[in-house]
Amino acid sequence: MRTNRPLAFLVVLLFTAIVVIGAFGTSWNTVSELPQNPADQSNIEGIGMLIFTHYVAPFEVLSIVLLASLIGAIYLAKGEENQ
Amino acid sequence: MIPLIFYLGLAALLFSIGLYGVMTHKNGIRMIMCIELMLNSANLNLVAFSSYTNTLNGQVFAVFSIALAAAEAAVGFAILMAIYRMHDKINLNELKILRW
């Protein structure tokens, strides 16, 4: 396979045009209702509460996935001579 | 407050840069880095819409997405390292071991 840079650039340009036209063509019609309260800017506490109340099960599953993938990565990256 | 459309435009630009890198580069490490760029643009969209709807669910999704990206990058770099150790090459166009 030989990479075709102009073709790739053309495809990416087309993709960008489609996404930008779609984003600008959509009427995000609640844009005037953005929260203006500066006290709402810090939300670390809210994220922590959400993770440990409403998203506990996905959080645990994700931790298991991360652990398994890291163990797999260590096994793959380890040389074959010292296994 | 920055309007939502600027975030969406920046995310589209980042995704396009990543897509161009994936399509043109032959080095596997560069391709993985470009995939990370595309994932980050998706995370930017999640956070932008989370702030736009004044909820926090999108930011939690972004945290999950970042953790999955870390797992994917670890496995991807390990696979590339194993391939480089076996075949002494990193150019993905010359590798034929994943074809049938």
Side-chain angles (χ1 to χ4, degrees), chain B:
Chain B
M1 183 71 72
I2 304 173
L4 175 67
I5 196 70
F6 288 163
Y7 291 108
L8 295 184
L10 177 63
L13 197 65
L14 273 179
F15 194 91
S16 302
I17 292 171
L19 189 62
Y20 179 75
V22 167
M23 288 174 73
T24 55
H25 287 157
K26 299 173 184 172
N27 194 337
I29 294 175
R30 281 188 178 181
M31 286 181 70
I32 286 183
M33 286 164 68
C34 290
I35 290 171
E36 294 294 319
L37 210 57
M38 293 157 79
L39 279 170
N40 278 327
S41 75
N43 288 336
L44 185 60
N45 270 349
L46 280 176
V47 174
F49 275 106
S50 165
S51 167
Y52 177 68
T53 59
N54 203 6
T55 56
L56 286 178
N57 295 329
Q59 300 193 23
V60 178
F61 286 164
V63 171
F64 289 166
S65 167
I66 288 169
L68 274 181
E72 174 259 335
V75 174
F77 282 124
I79 288 174
L80 278 180
M81 191 180 294
I83 286 175
Y84 180 72
R85 189 178 292 131
M86 278 193 297
H87 298 275
D88 274 337
K89 63 179 72 165
I90 202 70
N91 190 345
L92 293 184
N93 286 338
E94 298 173 3
L95 289 172
K96 296 181 174 60
I97 55 172
L98 291 181
R99 299 177 188 169
W100 56 281

Side-chain angles (χ1 to χ4, degrees), chain A residues 9-71:
Chain A
F9 190 71
L10 198 68
V11 167
V12 168
L13 217 60
L14 203 63
F15 174 80
T16 313
I18 288 173
V19 170
V20 168
I21 286 173
F24 275 92
T26 308
S27 63
W28 310 101
N29 48 11
T30 56
V31 88
S32 59
E33 301 169 5
L34 281 172
Q36 302 290 338
N37 189 6
D40 293 339
Q41 295 300 314
S42 173
N43 45 20
I44 302 294
E45 191 180 351
I47 292 173
M49 285 300 291
L50 264 183
I51 283 178
F52 285 106
T53 55
H54 196 250
Y55 291 108
V56 164
F59 185 71
E60 298 294 330
V61 171
L62 185 68
S63 65
I64 293 173
V65 167
L66 195 56
L67 181 69
S69 74
L70 287 179
I71 290 173

